[in-house]
Amino acid sequence: MIYTTSTMKMAVMGDPIDHSLSPFMHGSLIEKHGLDALYIPVRVAPDETEHFAEAARHLGFCGFNATMPHKIRLLDIVDELDEKASLYQAVNTVRIRDGKLTGSNTDVDGLMAALDRQEIRTEGARVMIIGAGGVAGALIRGFAGRGVSSLSVLNRTLSAAEKAIEGIPAACALEMTRENLSVTASRSDLIINCTPLGMSGVREDFQDFSFLDDTGAFVVDLIYNPWQTALLRSAEERGLGTMNGLPMLIYQGILSFRLFTDLPVDLHEEFAFLYPLCQERLRQ
Ligand code: NAP
C-alpha cells in the first residue's frame, strides 16, 4: 500500500496498546472495502491524552479510538460530545471533521448488539455487574436505559461502585465480597465481569467461583484474551450460557468504523466477516 496526503488516517490510542486487536480489525475492514486508509496503534501515556488529541486534529486524522486509561479524560478534551458519549459518560471513539473533535461511545451499543445476537433479553432482566471502572460505568448507564428490573454493581472499592450508580434508581452498590457475589448471583439473570481479573498478563483472578453454584444466569466476561477465562470455564462447567468479550469488541469496532469513514457498512455482515478472522488471530 502506498500512502499519500489524501490517505484517511485513523488510530487507536491507549496504554498499554501492544495487544490491541483494533488495528487488525480496522485493517481488515479497510482492505475489504478497498479504502485508501490506514489505522495505527499509538501508545499514549495517561497524562498525554490532550497532546495526542491535538496532534490528531492538526495532522488531519478522520478519527481515533481510545482505550484505557483515556476514555474519561477525553470527555473534557473533545470539542463536543454526541448523545451516546454524554449519556454513557465515556468516550471510546473520536470522529474528526474540519478540525472539530466529536466524542462518541460505541462500547455500550457493542455489548448490546453482542447480547442481541445471543438472544439475551435485557428488558426486565436482573443484571449483576462486577467492577465499577470506565467500561462498567458506561454499561451501567446503558442498562439503566434498557428497562432492566435491577442492576447490582459489585466492586472491590465500594465508593467507586456507589459513584457509578449515582442517579440510577434501580441500581445498588455492594462491596465485592464472597457473600455478596453469591447472594447477588443467585438473584441475577445476567452476570458481567468488567474487571481485568483473569486476563492474560494479569496475575490476579477471582478467589473462587462458588458464587456461580446457585444461579441460572448467563455469564459474560469482557475479556477475550485468554479466549476462555477461568470465570467462563467455571460457568460452562455449571451448565451456564457464556460469552467472552470478542463479540462486543467487534461490534464496537464496526460502529466506530462507520463514524470514521461515513461508510454505511452493515453491522451483521461485517461481524460475520470479522469474527472468524479475529478468532484465528487470537489463536496465533
Ligand atoms: P478500569 O477503568 O481500570 O476499571 C477496572 C475495574 O476492575 C475497577 O472496578 C477495579 O476496581 C477492578 N479491579 C481491578 N483490579 C482488580 C482486582 N485485583 N480485584 C478486584 N477488582 C479489580 O478498566 P475498564 O476500562 O473498565 O476495563 C475493564 C475490563 O474490561 C478490562 O479487562 C478491559 O480489557 C475490558 N474491556 C473489554 C472491552 C471489549 O470490547 N471486550 C471493552 C472495554 C473494556 P477498583 O475500583 O477497586 O480499582
Side-chain angles (χ1 to χ4, degrees), residues 125-235:
R126 298 165 300 170
V127 180
M128 166 173 169
I129 292 190
I130 307 173
V135 74
L139 292 179
I140 290 163
R141 290 178 181 85
F143 279 115
R146 275 210 156 196
V148 295
S149 77
S150 67
L151 198 50
S152 307
V153 181
L154 288 85
N155 196 45
R156 176 177 62 178
T157 311
L158 178 60
S159 58
E162 286 170 341
K163 192 159 188 303
I165 64 156
E166 264 172 20
I168 300 173
C172 76
L174 295 160
E175 193 181 335
M176 190 181 145
T177 61
R178 211 174 254 170
E179 196 191 345
N180 285 340
L181 282 168
S182 289
V183 172
T184 313
S186 70
R187 297 175 186 155
S188 297
D189 306 305
L190 180 59
I191 298 173
I192 305 176
N193 175 36
C194 302
T195 75
L197 289 171
M199 187 161 84
S200 295
V202 172
R203 286 203 188 140
E204 288 161 294
D205 206 329
F206 288 88
Q207 283 174 6
D208 70 82
F209 298 98
S210 57
F211 67 93
L212 297 173
D213 286 347
D214 195 20
T215 180
F218 186 85
V219 181
V220 178
D221 201 328
L222 297 194
I223 295 166
Y224 51 84
N225 193 359
W227 184 255
Q228 189 182 48
T229 55
L231 171 69
L232 292 191
R233 195 168 53 250
S234 305

Side-chain angles (χ1 to χ4, degrees), residues 232-280:
L232 292 191
R233 195 168 53 250
S234 305
E236 220 173 85
E237 283 164 5
R238 288 164 171 82
L240 303 174
T242 64
M243 180 171 76
N244 73 8
L246 184 61
M248 169 181 172
L249 182 85
I250 294 177
Y251 278 123
Q252 67 76 29
I254 301 165
L255 293 168
S256 295
F257 187 77
R258 267 191 197 161
L259 288 170
F260 296 150
T261 63
D262 289 330
L263 276 185
V265 292
D266 182 81
L267 199 55
H268 303 295
E269 187 187 317
E270 302 305 340
F271 183 88
F273 165 70
L274 285 173
Y275 190 79
L277 291 181
C278 291
Q279 196 175 16
E280 183 63 33

Side-chain angles (χ1 to χ4, degrees), residues 1-81:
M1 188 81 196
I2 297 169
Y3 300 120
T4 67
T5 47
S6 55
T7 297
M8 216 186 266
K9 294 181 279 291
M10 297 170 268
V12 56
M13 50 92 96
D15 188 10
I17 199 65
D18 287 348
H19 295 101
S20 170
L21 206 57
S22 293
F24 174 76
M25 225 162 48
H26 285 265
S28 302
L29 289 175
I30 288 168
E31 207 176 297
K32 178 177 182 237
H33 292 279
L35 301 183
D36 175 16
L38 60 81
Y39 184 106
I40 52 168
V42 186
R43 192 173 72 76
V44 177
D47 57 349
E48 289 188 346
T49 324
E50 194 159 3
H51 289 147
F52 177 83
E54 282 313 309
R57 185 202 304 275
H58 293 295
L59 292 173
F61 277 61
C62 66
F64 61 89
N65 284 119
T67 182
M68 270 184 354
H70 302 287
K71 291 182 185 182
I72 308 295
R73 179 80 187 95
L74 277 167
L75 286 168
D76 296 326
I77 289 176
V78 294
D79 301 313
E80 61 178 17
L81 298 173

